[in-house]
Amino acid sequence: MIILGLDIATVTGWAIYDTDKSPSAIRSGSFKLVGDTAFEKVVDMRARLPRLIREEKPQFAAVEAPLEFAPQFKKVRKDMLGEKEEAGTTINTKTIAQLNRLSGAAIMAVIGQNVPCV
């Protein structure tokens, strides 16, 4: 069985795994979605993802679930006196909404090519 894995973001990662082959035979790549808005990026995805599916002919696809909450990341930098913690950054709700749109578009592109997915 050929499985397509998708990690959806502005730079969308993909991997193809054939269960009849060794894990070392996994092929992967990525493509950067073009556009300033989520809608423009969805349009770009609708052009790229079906082409990838037609070329690779997966029998099943797994799409990474989008974020449901805004995690906070803390930056830590090292200097000669040790580590210093800097202010954290939070993914905002606009970013989460954009990722959800991209994820939904990816799922629809996969289903539109008659590939079952989760």
Side-chain angles (χ1 to χ4, degrees):
M1 172 181 276
I2 299 172
I3 300 169
L4 169 65
L6 292 169
D7 179 6
I8 305 301
T10 298
V11 177
T12 294
W14 58 269
I16 296 291
Y17 175 56
D18 187 339
T19 59
D20 294 330
K21 295 182 179 178
S22 163
S24 64
I26 293 174
R27 293 186 322 281
S28 63
S30 65
F31 52 86
K32 182 173 177 149
L33 297 173
V34 177
D36 294 327
T37 67
F39 179 77
E40 291 170 348
K41 290 176 183 177
V42 163
V43 169
D44 189 40
M45 179 182 290
R46 287 287 299 129
R48 293 173 185 245
L49 197 50
R51 184 175 22 210
L52 175 68
I53 293 168
R54 285 190 300 271
E55 289 172 3
E56 298 294 342
K57 297 178 179 55
Q59 297 158 305
F60 186 78
V63 180
E64 181 183 32
L67 294 172
E68 295 180 7
F69 62 94
Q72 186 170 357
F73 302 98
K74 293 194 180 198
K75 295 180 183 178
V76 177
R77 66 179 171 92
K78 292 183 180 182
D79 60 16
M80 291 176 52
L81 302 174
E83 292 184 356
K84 290 187 177 180
E85 194 170 286
E86 297 179 11
T89 58
T90 301
I91 295 177
N92 65 34
T93 55
K94 183 177 178 182
T95 301
I96 292 173
Q98 178 172 310
L99 290 172
N100 278 303
R101 289 181 187 120
L102 295 176
S103 179
I107 291 168
M108 292 308 295
V110 170
I111 291 171
Q113 296 295 311
N114 295 316
V115 177
C117 72
V118 62

